[in-house]
Amino acid sequence: MSALVHGEERSLAPGGAAETSDFDDWVAARGPGLLRLAYVLTGNRADAEDAVQDALARALPRWEHIRSVGDPDAYVRRMVVNAHTSWWRKFRRRETPVAEAHGSRASADPGVDERDRIWRACLALPEPQRVAVVLRYYEQLEYAEIAALTGVAEGSVRARVSRGLVAMRGLLGESMGEEENR
C-alpha cells in the first residue's frame, strides 16, 4: 500500500494512514526547527533542505519505532546531523569550499556585519567542532545531550566546543565571551 506524502508516493508501514497522518503532523510542527538546525550546520538552504529531506525520508518507514523511543525530536535531530555528516564527508573529498566567491558586501547595520563574521568563522571550523558549537550555542543543548546526539563521549564534546571557540576567536581576532562550563 502507498500514500502521497508531501508530493511523493511513499510506502506505508503496517500503521497505515493513521501512522502517516501522525508523521505529517509531527513534521508540520517540528520541520521548521529541523530546517533551521540543518541550515546552521550546512550554511545554505539547499543543503539544509537536502539533509532534512534525507532524514525525514529515512524516518517515515521507521516512524512507529521512532515514536516508541520516547523522544522522537532528539532521534530525528540526530538523523539530520548524521545526514549532514554523511554529505559533508562525500563533499570534502571532491570540493574545497570558500567563504565568499565575490568581494564582501557592506551593510548599513553593523550588527549584520558582526553576525556575518561570526557565521563565517563558524563555517571555517572543522566539521566535528562546528557541529558541537552549533548544537551547544544554537540549539542550546547541554554537553551530555550533544554527546548522546552525536555518539561521542561528553569529554570529547567539551574539547570540540572549546577548540572550536578558540579557533573562532583566532579567526575573529578578538575575545569572545568565555563559556561557562555547566
Side-chain angles (χ1 to χ4, degrees), residues 2-24:
S2 64
L4 199 59
V5 178
H6 301 294
E8 294 183 24
E9 188 170 314
R10 301 261 176 95
S11 174
L12 292 179
E19 185 177 317
T20 303
S21 175
D22 179 49
F23 180 76
D24 286 345

Side-chain angles (χ1 to χ4, degrees), residues 33-170:
L34 292 173
L35 189 58
R36 285 190 301 273
L37 168 63
Y39 181 81
V40 174
L41 290 172
T42 63
N44 72 60
R45 186 167 179 85
D47 291 340
E49 289 171 349
D50 288 346
V52 171
Q53 183 62 34
D54 182 53
L56 293 177
R58 291 174 189 265
L60 177 61
R62 297 181 221 156
W63 186 241
E64 189 172 327
H65 167 73
I66 292 170
R67 256 191 340 197
S68 71
V69 298
D71 190 359
D73 294 358
Y75 195 101
V76 177
R77 192 181 310 136
R78 180 172 181 148
M79 292 177 81
V80 169
V81 171
N82 289 346
H84 168 63
T85 301
S86 295
W87 170 86
W88 178 79
R89 286 177 179 154
K90 290 179 212 170
F91 176 80
R92 186 177 74 174
R93 290 183 211 138
R94 291 190 317 250
E95 301 176 27
T96 304
V98 295
E100 187 171 330
H102 304 287
S104 74
R105 49 178 212 267
S107 171
D109 180 3
V112 171
D113 290 337
E114 185 62 19
R115 285 189 301 267
D116 187 52
R117 288 181 62 227
I118 293 170
W119 176 244
R120 289 172 194 269
C122 186
L123 287 176
L125 294 175
E127 179 69 15
Q129 290 176 8
R130 183 170 67 235
V131 168
V133 169
V134 165
L135 291 174
R136 179 70 177 120
Y137 293 102
Y138 182 76
E139 286 290 315
Q140 298 180 347
L141 298 179
E142 297 297 326
Y143 292 109
E145 293 173 299
I146 298 168
L149 186 65
T150 59
V152 175
E154 186 175 336
S156 296
V157 170
R158 289 179 180 273
R160 288 175 179 183
V161 169
S162 177
R163 289 180 185 134
L165 292 177
V166 167
M168 287 180 70
R169 283 185 194 112

